[in-house]
Amino acid sequence: MSSIQTASDNERALQDLLAGRFPDERGRYGPFGGRYVPETLIPAHQRLERGARQWLADAQFQAELTGELRDWVGRPTALSPAPRLSQRWGAEVWIKREDLAHTGAHKINNALGQALLARRLGARRIVAETGAGQHGVATAAVCARLGLPCTVYMGALDMERQAPNVGRMQLLGASVIAVNSGDRTLRAAIDEALRDWVSDPTATYYLLGSAVGAHPYPYIVRELQAVIGREARAQIIERTGALPDAVVACVGGGSNAIGLFHAFIGDRNVEILGIEAGGRGSALGENAATLAHGRPGVLHGTFSVLLQNEDGQIQETHSISAGLDYPGVGPEHALLHSIGRVRYEVASDEEALAALSECCQMEGILPALESAHALAGARRWAASHPGTRLLIGLSGRGDKDMPTLLQTLLAPPHESPR
């Protein structure tokens, strides 16, 4: 899969990552990453890279970001013990509650940071893409907060299954544009947002929602989402006096997961698991499990692992969760997979629905369908590691998924769930 193959190569790559040498000057994470974009966007990416390096290290910028995260977003989010799940699973379960952040998911951390960066770079409008709608809602909310016009592109299929979030974006003042091309999901929405940005790369800022895309976006998103892992690591040590035995998060593009994982990469005794969308099966088109079934290639400006056929054509994906329904993964996840520091597994639609139902009934928490994949993977891990301590990233709340849940878990007995 990559040029990193031997144990010594893997260890060297891990040390480079821990020392902050990834991404390198080419925007690479080992063999992954980089910048594959049209010539018209090269100056915009270079300007963004310079701005990110300057402002993310600026004390005044960080003070404003930290203040807004505290006073408006509601950070730090809670670390909740899960006593009934712990009893049922035979393990000590803790849940990092990004569902309690303003707008209901981790997406607000990145949206806020990038919007503050966009304002410093002189942008006059924001464009964004969204899959499950949470990034779109977060971007719309931030733009309302900062007084910036906002356009959100969303696949028509995702608009149908995430109707509540479409309404929320509109109430927050965003213009939501349906994308009917391609697979009508997140991949098509990203394509349209990029086309918009190409038309005016100076006055428009493209606020990318996941740890994917051309450099410097994976770096920016990781830096802005790393607050999740920093908080969780400090909280669990404070509450238990020790690190967890395993950290688990769902992985689509990978922003929630990289944000949680980043603080634990150097803790060799902590196992890290990313759970991808296993969908309906292992065949192409039946899932969105990129690292389980994909091959290296270029998509949306970055070299990573993709779901593609033998001719290199990107394949349509399937997941019951719109936020995981993407045929690629962030380049840092591809690196972590290739060197073996993070183990990536899959959870099927059926397993995710069962985990969501269990979490609701045992803990009184309605997780997003994306997060339900992490719960399913964590339960499986606990079964083979009894008595251990688990930290699970709950990326968002499941209110947005009620249309899907009404057709599946809550379907009348005489109807066949989809």
Side-chain angles (χ1 to χ4, degrees):
M1 179 176 290
S2 79
S3 61
I4 301 175
Q5 295 177 344
T6 69
S8 60
D9 288 337
N10 292 348
E11 179 62 26
R12 191 178 307 114
L14 179 58
Q15 290 304 317
D16 285 341
L17 182 62
L18 293 172
R21 289 190 283 271
F22 287 151
D24 62 19
E25 65 279 358
R26 300 176 302 147
R28 295 274 184 172
Y29 300 80
F32 303 105
R35 182 185 290 147
Y36 299 83
V37 297
E39 285 294 324
T40 52
L41 283 180
I42 291 291
H45 279 85
Q46 291 174 335
R47 184 170 62 253
L48 176 57
E49 181 180 3
R50 290 192 300 270
R53 297 289 184 184
Q54 175 187 352
W55 291 111
L56 292 182
D58 180 80
Q60 189 174 16
F61 177 90
Q62 286 295 329
E64 182 180 8
L65 175 59
T66 299
E68 287 290 279
L69 288 171
R70 179 192 62 234
D71 300 333
W72 186 63
V73 173
R75 304 209 71 89
T77 56
L79 180 70
S80 297
R84 297 191 67 206
L85 284 180
S86 297
Q87 184 178 21
R88 174 174 283 196
W89 293 2
E92 182 184 335
V93 181
W94 294 82
I95 302 176
K96 180 57 173 168
R97 301 289 304 283
E98 292 302 291
D99 59 311
L100 298 180
H102 179 46
T103 69
H106 70 290
K107 294 293 187 180
I108 195 72
N109 307 318
N110 171 61
L112 175 61
Q114 283 202 53
L116 291 173
L117 178 59
R119 190 168 64 178
R120 281 166 169 77
L121 294 176
R124 295 193 294 274
R125 67 183 284 262
I126 300 290
V127 298
E129 85 300 325
T130 196
Q134 286 301 135
H135 173 59
V137 169
T139 302
V142 167
C143 287
R145 178 78 167 176
L146 300 183
L148 289 167
C150 176
T151 299
V152 179
Y153 291 91
M154 190 172 188
L157 177 60
D158 289 340
M159 290 183 73
E160 294 173 8
R161 57 184 177 177
Q162 300 293 331
N165 273 343
V166 176
R168 292 172 74 195
M169 285 182 270
Q170 292 169 335
L171 283 171
L172 290 164
S175 173
V176 184
I177 299 179
V179 179
N180 285 290
S181 59
D183 59 6
R184 303 191 302 145
T185 64
L186 180 59
R187 174 163 63 106
I190 292 176
D191 289 339
E192 288 303 314
L194 285 169
R195 290 188 184 99
D196 187 319
W197 191 27
V198 167
S199 69
D200 185 12
T202 301
T204 297
Y205 182 94
Y206 175 32
L207 205 162
L208 183 57
S210 195
V212 298
H215 179 65
Y217 279 109
Y219 161 74
I220 293 172
V221 175
R222 182 199 71 194
E223 289 297 291
L224 294 172
Q225 293 292 6
V227 64
I228 303 171
R230 289 196 300 270
E231 287 180 5
R233 192 177 189 280
Q235 287 169 324
I236 201 162
I237 290 174
E238 180 184 4
R239 299 289 293 278
T240 70
L243 290 168
D245 295 296
V247 174
V248 189
C250 63
V251 178
S255 63
N256 147 75
I258 205 65
L260 179 61
F261 295 168
H262 195 61
F264 297 93
I265 295 297
D267 299 311
R268 304 299 184 105
N269 293 329
V270 177
E271 185 157 1
I272 306 178
L273 291 94
I275 309 301
E276 297 187 296
R280 295 181 294 242
S282 60
L284 280 176
E286 294 293 301
N287 61 77
T290 305
L291 291 169
H293 304 298
R295 295 183 293 115
V298 175
L299 177 66
H300 294 140
T302 193
F303 179 74
S304 188
V305 180
L306 314 174
L307 291 170
Q308 55 187 316
N309 63 20
E310 293 180 356
D311 298 320
Q313 297 299 306
I314 303 301
Q315 298 298 286
E316 292 189 7
T317 56
H318 164 77
S319 173
I320 197 167
S321 59
L324 302 184
D325 207 353
Y326 181 67
V329 69
E332 191 163 357
H333 283 293
L335 172 69
L336 291 167
H337 176 253
S338 75
I339 66 176
R341 179 60 189 98
V342 178
R343 195 168 86 202
Y344 295 85
E345 300 179 351
V346 302
S348 68
D349 288 351
E350 184 178 350
E351 289 173 317
L353 286 168
L356 183 145
S357 180
E358 183 179 46
C359 186
C360 286
Q361 295 175 22
M362 299 297 290
E363 296 297 339
I365 299 171
L366 172 57
L369 277 167
E370 291 80 9
S371 306
H373 288 72
L375 289 162
R379 179 178 185 174
R380 190 166 57 224
W381 192 88
S384 59
H385 299 80
T388 52
R389 179 179 295 118
L390 277 166
L391 171 60
I392 305 169
L394 202 154
S395 59
R397 65 184 181 225
D399 306 53
K400 67 180 179 59
D401 294 314
M402 286 308 301
T404 299
L405 298 176
L406 286 168
Q407 297 175 15
T408 52
L409 290 177
L410 299 176
H414 63 278
E415 294 185 10
S416 298
R418 293 182 182 178

CSV table of all heavy atoms in Angstrom, one decimal, residues 370-405:
chain,number,residue,atom,x,y,z
A,370,GLU,N,-23.2,7.9,12.8
A,370,GLU,CA,-21.8,7.8,12.6
A,370,GLU,C,-21.1,7.3,13.9
A,370,GLU,O,-20.4,6.3,13.9
A,370,GLU,CB,-21.2,9.2,12.3
A,370,GLU,CG,-21.5,9.7,10.9
A,370,GLU,CD,-22.9,10.3,10.9
A,370,GLU,OE1,-23.6,10.5,11.9
A,370,GLU,OE2,-23.4,10.6,9.8
A,371,SER,N,-21.5,7.9,15.0
A,371,SER,CA,-20.9,7.5,16.3
A,371,SER,C,-21.3,6.1,16.7
A,371,SER,O,-20.6,5.4,17.4
A,371,SER,CB,-21.4,8.5,17.4
A,371,SER,OG,-21.1,9.8,17.1
A,372,ALA,N,-22.5,5.6,16.3
A,372,ALA,CA,-22.9,4.3,16.6
A,372,ALA,C,-22.0,3.2,16.0
A,372,ALA,O,-21.8,2.2,16.6
A,372,ALA,CB,-24.3,4.1,16.0
A,373,HIS,N,-21.3,3.6,14.9
A,373,HIS,CA,-20.3,2.6,14.4
A,373,HIS,C,-19.1,2.5,15.4
A,373,HIS,O,-18.6,1.4,15.6
A,373,HIS,CB,-19.7,3.1,13.1
A,373,HIS,CG,-20.7,3.0,11.9
A,373,HIS,ND1,-21.8,3.8,11.8
A,373,HIS,CD2,-20.7,2.1,10.9
A,373,HIS,CE1,-22.5,3.4,10.7
A,373,HIS,NE2,-21.8,2.4,10.1
A,374,ALA,N,-18.7,3.6,16.1
A,374,ALA,CA,-17.7,3.5,17.1
A,374,ALA,C,-18.1,2.7,18.3
A,374,ALA,O,-17.4,1.9,18.8
A,374,ALA,CB,-17.3,4.9,17.5
A,375,LEU,N,-19.4,2.8,18.7
A,375,LEU,CA,-19.9,2.0,19.8
A,375,LEU,C,-19.9,0.6,19.4
A,375,LEU,O,-19.6,-0.3,20.3
A,375,LEU,CB,-21.3,2.5,20.1
A,375,LEU,CG,-21.4,3.9,20.8
A,375,LEU,CD1,-22.8,4.5,20.7
A,375,LEU,CD2,-21.0,3.8,22.3
A,376,ALA,N,-20.3,0.2,18.2
A,376,ALA,CA,-20.3,-1.2,17.8
A,376,ALA,C,-18.9,-1.7,17.8
A,376,ALA,O,-18.7,-2.9,18.3
A,376,ALA,CB,-20.9,-1.3,16.4
A,377,GLY,N,-17.9,-1.0,17.3
A,377,GLY,CA,-16.6,-1.5,17.3
A,377,GLY,C,-16.0,-1.6,18.7
A,377,GLY,O,-15.3,-2.6,19.1
A,378,ALA,N,-16.4,-0.7,19.6
A,378,ALA,CA,-15.9,-0.7,21.0
A,378,ALA,C,-16.5,-1.9,21.7
A,378,ALA,O,-15.8,-2.6,22.5
A,378,ALA,CB,-16.3,0.6,21.7
A,379,ARG,N,-17.8,-2.2,21.5
A,379,ARG,CA,-18.4,-3.4,22.1
A,379,ARG,C,-17.7,-4.6,21.7
A,379,ARG,O,-17.4,-5.5,22.5
A,379,ARG,CB,-19.9,-3.4,21.8
A,379,ARG,CG,-20.5,-4.7,22.4
A,379,ARG,CD,-22.0,-4.7,22.1
A,379,ARG,NE,-22.6,-5.9,22.8
A,379,ARG,CZ,-23.9,-6.1,22.9
A,379,ARG,NH1,-24.8,-5.3,22.3
A,379,ARG,NH2,-24.4,-7.2,23.6
A,380,ARG,N,-17.4,-4.8,20.4
A,380,ARG,CA,-16.7,-5.9,19.9
A,380,ARG,C,-15.3,-6.1,20.6
A,380,ARG,O,-14.9,-7.2,21.0
A,380,ARG,CB,-16.6,-5.8,18.4
A,380,ARG,CG,-16.1,-7.1,17.7
A,380,ARG,CD,-16.3,-7.0,16.2
A,380,ARG,NE,-15.7,-5.9,15.6
A,380,ARG,CZ,-16.3,-5.1,14.8
A,380,ARG,NH1,-17.5,-5.3,14.4
A,380,ARG,NH2,-15.6,-4.0,14.3
A,381,TRP,N,-14.6,-4.9,20.7
A,381,TRP,CA,-13.3,-4.9,21.4
A,381,TRP,C,-13.4,-5.3,22.8
A,381,TRP,O,-12.6,-6.1,23.3
A,381,TRP,CB,-12.6,-3.6,21.2
A,381,TRP,CG,-11.1,-3.6,21.6
A,381,TRP,CD1,-10.1,-3.8,20.7
A,381,TRP,CD2,-10.6,-3.3,22.8
A,381,TRP,NE1,-8.9,-3.7,21.4
A,381,TRP,CE2,-9.2,-3.4,22.7
A,381,TRP,CE3,-11.1,-3.0,24.1
A,381,TRP,CZ2,-8.3,-3.2,23.8
A,381,TRP,CZ3,-10.2,-2.8,25.2
A,381,TRP,CH2,-8.8,-2.9,25.0
A,382,ALA,N,-14.4,-4.8,23.5
A,382,ALA,CA,-14.5,-5.1,24.9
A,382,ALA,C,-14.8,-6.6,25.2
A,382,ALA,O,-14.4,-7.2,26.2
A,382,ALA,CB,-15.7,-4.3,25.5
A,383,ALA,N,-15.5,-7.2,24.2
A,383,ALA,CA,-15.8,-8.7,24.4
A,383,ALA,C,-14.5,-9.5,24.4
A,383,ALA,O,-14.5,-10.6,25.1
A,383,ALA,CB,-16.7,-9.1,23.2
A,384,SER,N,-13.5,-9.1,23.7
A,384,SER,CA,-12.2,-9.8,23.7
A,384,SER,C,-11.2,-9.3,24.7
A,384,SER,O,-10.1,-9.8,24.8
A,384,SER,CB,-11.7,-9.9,22.3
A,384,SER,OG,-11.4,-8.6,21.8
A,385,HIS,N,-11.5,-8.2,25.4
A,385,HIS,CA,-10.6,-7.6,26.4
A,385,HIS,C,-11.4,-7.2,27.6
A,385,HIS,O,-11.5,-6.1,28.0
A,385,HIS,CB,-10.0,-6.3,25.8
A,385,HIS,CG,-9.1,-6.6,24.6
A,385,HIS,ND1,-9.7,-6.7,23.3
A,385,HIS,CD2,-7.8,-6.7,24.4
A,385,HIS,CE1,-8.7,-6.9,22.4
A,385,HIS,NE2,-7.6,-6.9,23.0
A,386,PRO,N,-11.9,-8.2,28.3
A,386,PRO,CA,-12.7,-7.9,29.5
A,386,PRO,C,-11.9,-7.3,30.6
A,386,PRO,O,-10.7,-7.5,30.8
A,386,PRO,CB,-13.2,-9.3,30.0
A,386,PRO,CG,-12.2,-10.3,29.4
A,386,PRO,CD,-11.8,-9.7,28.1
A,387,GLY,N,-12.6,-6.4,31.3
A,387,GLY,CA,-12.0,-5.7,32.5
A,387,GLY,C,-11.1,-4.5,32.1
A,387,GLY,O,-10.5,-3.9,33.0
A,388,THR,N,-11.1,-4.1,30.8
A,388,THR,CA,-10.3,-3.0,30.4
A,388,THR,C,-11.0,-1.7,30.4
A,388,THR,O,-12.3,-1.7,30.6
A,388,THR,CB,-9.7,-3.3,29.0
A,388,THR,OG1,-10.8,-3.6,28.1
A,388,THR,CG2,-8.7,-4.4,29.0
A,389,ARG,N,-10.3,-0.6,30.2
A,389,ARG,CA,-10.9,0.7,30.2
A,389,ARG,C,-11.0,1.3,28.7
A,389,ARG,O,-10.0,1.3,28.0
A,389,ARG,CB,-10.1,1.7,31.0
A,389,ARG,CG,-10.6,3.1,31.1
A,389,ARG,CD,-9.8,4.0,32.0
A,389,ARG,NE,-9.9,3.6,33.4
A,389,ARG,CZ,-8.8,3.2,34.1
A,389,ARG,NH1,-7.6,3.1,33.6
A,389,ARG,NH2,-9.0,2.8,35.3
A,390,LEU,N,-12.2,1.7,28.3
A,390,LEU,CA,-12.4,2.1,27.0
A,390,LEU,C,-12.8,3.6,26.9
A,390,LEU,O,-13.7,4.0,27.7
A,390,LEU,CB,-13.6,1.3,26.3
A,390,LEU,CG,-13.3,-0.1,25.7
A,390,LEU,CD1,-14.6,-0.8,25.5
A,390,LEU,CD2,-12.6,0.1,24.4
A,391,LEU,N,-12.3,4.3,26.0
A,391,LEU,CA,-12.7,5.7,25.8
A,391,LEU,C,-13.2,5.8,24.3
A,391,LEU,O,-12.5,5.5,23.4
A,391,LEU,CB,-11.5,6.7,25.9
A,391,LEU,CG,-11.7,8.1,25.5
A,391,LEU,CD1,-12.8,8.8,26.2
A,391,LEU,CD2,-10.4,8.9,25.6
A,392,ILE,N,-14.5,6.2,24.2
A,392,ILE,CA,-15.2,6.2,22.9
A,392,ILE,C,-15.5,7.6,22.6
A,392,ILE,O,-16.1,8.4,23.4
A,392,ILE,CB,-16.5,5.4,23.0
A,392,ILE,CG1,-16.2,3.9,23.5
A,392,ILE,CG2,-17.2,5.4,21.6
A,392,ILE,CD1,-17.5,3.2,23.8
A,393,GLY,N,-15.2,8.0,21.4
A,393,GLY,CA,-15.5,9.3,20.9
A,393,GLY,C,-16.9,9.3,20.3
A,393,GLY,O,-17.2,8.6,19.4
A,394,LEU,N,-17.8,10.1,20.9
A,394,LEU,CA,-19.2,10.2,20.4
A,394,LEU,C,-19.2,11.5,19.6
A,394,LEU,O,-19.3,12.6,20.2
A,394,LEU,CB,-20.2,10.2,21.6
A,394,LEU,CG,-21.6,9.8,21.2
A,394,LEU,CD1,-22.4,9.2,22.4
A,394,LEU,CD2,-22.4,11.0,20.7
A,395,SER,N,-19.2,11.4,18.3
A,395,SER,CA,-18.9,12.6,17.5
A,395,SER,C,-20.1,13.5,17.4
A,395,SER,O,-19.9,14.7,17.1
A,395,SER,CB,-18.5,12.1,16.1
A,395,SER,OG,-19.6,11.4,15.5
A,396,GLY,N,-21.3,13.0,17.6
A,396,GLY,CA,-22.5,13.9,17.5
A,396,GLY,C,-23.7,13.2,18.0
A,396,GLY,O,-23.8,12.0,18.2
A,397,ARG,N,-24.8,14.0,18.1
A,397,ARG,CA,-26.1,13.5,18.5
A,397,ARG,C,-26.9,13.0,17.4
A,397,ARG,O,-26.7,13.5,16.2
A,397,ARG,CB,-26.8,14.5,19.4
A,397,ARG,CG,-27.2,15.8,18.6
A,397,ARG,CD,-27.9,16.8,19.6
A,397,ARG,NE,-28.3,18.0,18.9
A,397,ARG,CZ,-28.1,19.2,19.3
A,397,ARG,NH1,-27.5,19.4,20.5
A,397,ARG,NH2,-28.6,20.2,18.7
A,398,GLY,N,-27.9,12.2,17.7
A,398,GLY,CA,-28.6,11.5,16.6
A,398,GLY,C,-29.9,12.1,16.2
A,398,GLY,O,-30.7,11.5,15.4
A,399,ASP,N,-30.2,13.3,16.7
A,399,ASP,CA,-31.5,13.9,16.3
A,399,ASP,C,-31.6,14.0,14.8
A,399,ASP,O,-32.7,13.9,14.2
A,399,ASP,CB,-31.6,15.4,16.9
A,399,ASP,CG,-31.4,15.4,18.4
A,399,ASP,OD1,-30.4,14.8,18.8
A,399,ASP,OD2,-32.2,16.0,19.1
A,400,LYS,N,-30.5,14.4,14.1
A,400,LYS,CA,-30.5,14.5,12.7
A,400,LYS,C,-30.9,13.2,11.9
A,400,LYS,O,-31.3,13.3,10.8
A,400,LYS,CB,-29.1,15.0,12.2
A,400,LYS,CG,-28.0,13.9,12.4
A,400,LYS,CD,-26.7,14.3,12.0
A,400,LYS,CE,-25.6,13.2,12.2
A,400,LYS,NZ,-25.9,12.0,11.5
A,401,ASP,N,-30.7,12.1,12.6
A,401,ASP,CA,-30.9,10.8,11.9
A,401,ASP,C,-32.3,10.3,12.1
A,401,ASP,O,-32.6,9.1,11.7
A,401,ASP,CB,-29.9,9.8,12.5
A,401,ASP,CG,-28.5,10.1,12.1
A,401,ASP,OD1,-28.2,10.4,11.0
A,401,ASP,OD2,-27.6,10.0,13.0
A,402,MET,N,-33.2,11.0,12.7
A,402,MET,CA,-34.6,10.5,13.0
A,402,MET,C,-35.3,10.1,11.7
A,402,MET,O,-36.0,9.1,11.8
A,402,MET,CB,-35.4,11.6,13.8
A,402,MET,CG,-35.0,11.7,15.3
A,402,MET,SD,-35.0,10.1,16.1
A,402,MET,CE,-36.7,9.6,15.9
A,403,PRO,N,-35.2,10.8,10.6
A,403,PRO,CA,-35.9,10.3,9.4
A,403,PRO,C,-35.4,8.9,9.0
A,403,PRO,O,-36.2,8.0,8.7
A,403,PRO,CB,-35.5,11.3,8.3
A,403,PRO,CG,-35.2,12.6,9.1
A,403,PRO,CD,-34.6,12.2,10.3
A,404,THR,N,-34.1,8.6,9.1
A,404,THR,CA,-33.6,7.3,8.9
A,404,THR,C,-34.1,6.3,9.9
A,404,THR,O,-34.5,5.1,9.6
A,404,THR,CB,-32.1,7.3,8.8
A,404,THR,OG1,-31.6,8.1,7.8
A,404,THR,CG2,-31.5,5.9,8.6
A,405,LEU,N,-34.0,6.7,11.2
A,405,LEU,CA,-34.4,5.8,12.3
A,405,LEU,C,-35.9,5.5,12.2
A,405,LEU,O,-36.3,4.4,12.6
A,405,LEU,CB,-34.1,6.4,13.6
A,405,LEU,CG,-32.6,6.6,13.8
A,405,LEU,CD1,-32.3,7.3,15.2
A,405,LEU,CD2,-31.8,5.3,13.7
